[in-house]
Amino acid sequence: MSTLVIAARELRSLFLSPLAWSILAVVQFLLAYLFLAQLEYFQQLQPRLAMLHEAPGVTDLVVVPLYGNAGVILLLVTPLLTMRLIAEERRNRTLSLLLGAPVSVTEIILGKYLGILGLLGVMVLLITLMPLSLAFGTHLDWGKLAACILALSLLLATFAASGLYLSTLASQPTVAAVGSFGALLLLWIIDWSAAIGTEKGELLSALSLLHHYENLLKGLVSSADLSYFVLLIAAFLTLSVRRLDYDRLQK
C-alpha cells in the first residue's frame, strides 16, 4: 500500500514538472517527424515492392524503424527524467525525512520506480498511437507490433531502473543524469568493438542492450532476451535498495 502511495506521489510530481511535459512534447514531435518520413519512403518504394515475392510490408519498413528510433531518442532523454528520483531528495535534504518514515527502503524504491514507469508507460502509449493509425488504411503485422511494444516497454523499464540506481548514488540530479546516460550508452554500444564470431564478441553481444532490443524488434521473442531485461532490472533495483539501506544506516 505504501508503495502505491509513493508511486502516486512520484507520478503526480512528475506530471507537475515542466521538464516532463517538455520531454513528452519533444519526443513526440521528433518521432512523428521520423514516422512520417519513413511512411513517405515506404510509399515511394511500393511500386517496386509490389513486384517482389514476400516483400517486406509497412510493419517492417515503417513500424519497426519507428521503435528503433524511439529506443535511441529515449536513451538520451530518460536520464533527465530519472535523475531527480533520489538525488533531488538528497539535495533538498528531504531524504532523511523519507528514510525516517514508517516505510521500508524496498517500498520507497519500488514506489519511485513505479512512479517513473507510469510516465514512461504514457510515452509508450503515445508512440504506439502512430502505428495504430495505419491500421485504418493498411494491413499491420499485429504480432510484430506487439513484440515492438514489448521491446520498448522492457527497454524503458531498464533505463528507469538504471537511472534510479545512479540517482541513489549522486547528490546532484545533473550528476545522476550524466552517470545514467554514460552507463546506458556503454550498455548500448558495448558490442560494437567486438570481433564477430569470437568468444569475446559473443560475450559482449550477450551484454548489449542493442543486441537484445533488436532481436525483439524483429519479432523474435525469446526467453534469453526477456531474461536479460528482467535480470538487469532486478539487479539495478536490488543495488538501489542496498544503497538506500546503507544511507538509512548512516543516519
Side-chain angles (χ1 to χ4, degrees):
M1 187 65 182
S2 301
T3 301
L4 296 180
V5 171
I6 294 171
R9 172 180 170 273
E10 191 61 40
L11 187 59
R12 186 168 56 250
S13 68
L14 282 168
F15 276 111
L16 290 175
S17 162
L19 177 65
W21 287 105
S22 303
I23 289 176
L24 276 174
V26 170
V27 169
Q28 279 302 111
F29 175 79
L30 289 174
L31 289 177
Y33 174 79
L34 294 171
F35 173 71
L36 293 174
Q38 200 67 28
L39 190 59
E40 184 179 0
Y41 175 65
F42 174 72
Q43 288 175 332
Q44 291 173 355
L45 283 181
Q46 262 192 327
R48 280 182 280 173
L49 292 174
M51 296 185 289
L52 298 176
H53 178 62
E54 295 186 353
V58 67
T59 309
D60 295 302
L61 295 179
V62 178
V63 176
V64 172
L66 170 69
Y67 283 89
N69 292 328
V72 175
I73 292 173
L74 291 171
L75 181 146
L76 299 174
V77 302
T78 305
L80 299 176
L81 294 170
T82 57
M83 65 180 182
R84 51 174 294 283
L85 290 173
I86 299 295
E88 192 167 79
E89 302 270 8
R90 185 176 283 117
R91 186 185 63 176
N92 295 337
R93 301 183 186 282
T94 56
L95 183 59
S96 56
L97 296 176
L98 189 60
L99 293 176
V103 292
S104 69
V105 169
T106 303
E107 288 173 323
I108 294 172
I109 290 297
L110 288 180
K112 294 276 186 181
Y113 184 61
L114 291 178
I116 191 68
L117 279 189
L119 178 61
L120 295 175
V122 172
M123 277 192 181
V124 174
L125 178 63
L126 291 175
I127 292 168
T128 302
L129 290 178
M130 286 186 262
L132 285 180
S133 67
L134 297 175
F136 293 102
T138 186
H139 173 71
L140 286 175
D141 185 334
W142 292 104
K144 193 166 284 187
L145 175 60
C148 289
I149 297 170
L150 175 65
L152 186 61
S153 300
L154 287 172
L155 188 72
L156 293 186
T158 306
F159 288 174
S162 166
L164 176 58
Y165 172 58
L166 268 296
S167 187
T168 64
L169 297 178
S171 56
Q172 295 292 330
T174 48
V175 176
V178 173
S180 178
F181 173 71
L184 292 176
L185 185 60
L186 177 63
L187 283 173
W188 191 266
I189 65 172
I190 194 168
D191 63 338
W192 284 12
S193 62
I196 298 173
T198 64
E199 287 186 5
K200 180 185 173 185
E202 291 176 1
L203 174 63
L204 293 180
S205 290
L207 295 174
S208 169
L209 274 171
L210 180 60
H211 172 74
H212 295 282
Y213 185 52
E214 285 183 335
N215 283 346
L216 291 174
L217 289 184
K218 293 173 186 170
L220 305 173
V221 180
S222 70
S223 57
D225 296 320
L226 298 179
S227 300
Y228 169 82
F229 284 108
V230 171
L231 289 175
L232 209 53
I233 292 167
F236 280 126
L237 291 182
T238 303
L239 289 171
S240 301
V241 170
R242 291 181 65 86
R243 171 61 191 179
L244 214 56
D245 202 32
Y246 173 79
D247 283 346
R248 171 174 270 178
L249 292 174
Q250 297 302 309
K251 301 297 178 186

